[in-house]
Amino acid sequence: MAYSVVFAALWVVASTIVAMLPMRLQFPPGIVLFASAPVLIIWLGFDYGWFFSVLALAGFVSMFRNPIRYYWRRWTGREVEQ
């Protein structure tokens, strides 16, 4: 098994653990996971092809849909609820 799959599985477990933390403790590890996801997705795509990279991207967007929506609204200048 390739290291990319092992690290992707560990990333999923870490994301699940972070999701169970209280909201005030989710931000620091969540940023690390959010920033490391593109590297893992590209690595998976390099090892297994673009199709698996697209599947990993779909999983990432599904797990981080609210932060992505928040930052998208913020970057495009739309109103953001506090």
Side-chain angles (χ1 to χ4, degrees):
M1 185 175 348
Y3 286 120
S4 61
V5 175
V6 172
F7 282 111
L10 290 173
W11 184 92
V12 169
V13 171
S15 294
T16 304
I17 292 169
V18 168
M20 288 189 268
L21 293 174
M23 196 64 172
R24 61 185 164 78
L25 298 176
Q26 286 181 2
F27 191 76
I31 290 296
V32 172
L33 291 168
F34 190 78
S36 65
V39 175
L40 281 172
I41 291 169
I42 292 169
W43 192 10
L44 282 168
F46 182 74
D47 285 347
Y48 292 102
W50 67 269
F51 181 73
F52 289 100
S53 190
V54 169
L55 288 176
L57 180 63
F60 168 74
V61 170
S62 173
M63 290 180 75
F64 283 88
R65 65 186 170 273
N66 289 331
I68 290 171
R69 187 180 309 140
Y70 171 81
Y71 285 115
W72 178 258
R73 287 182 179 177
R74 195 167 164 197
W75 291 329
T76 58
R78 295 169 65 196
E79 190 171 324
V80 178
E81 296 176 17
Q82 292 294 337

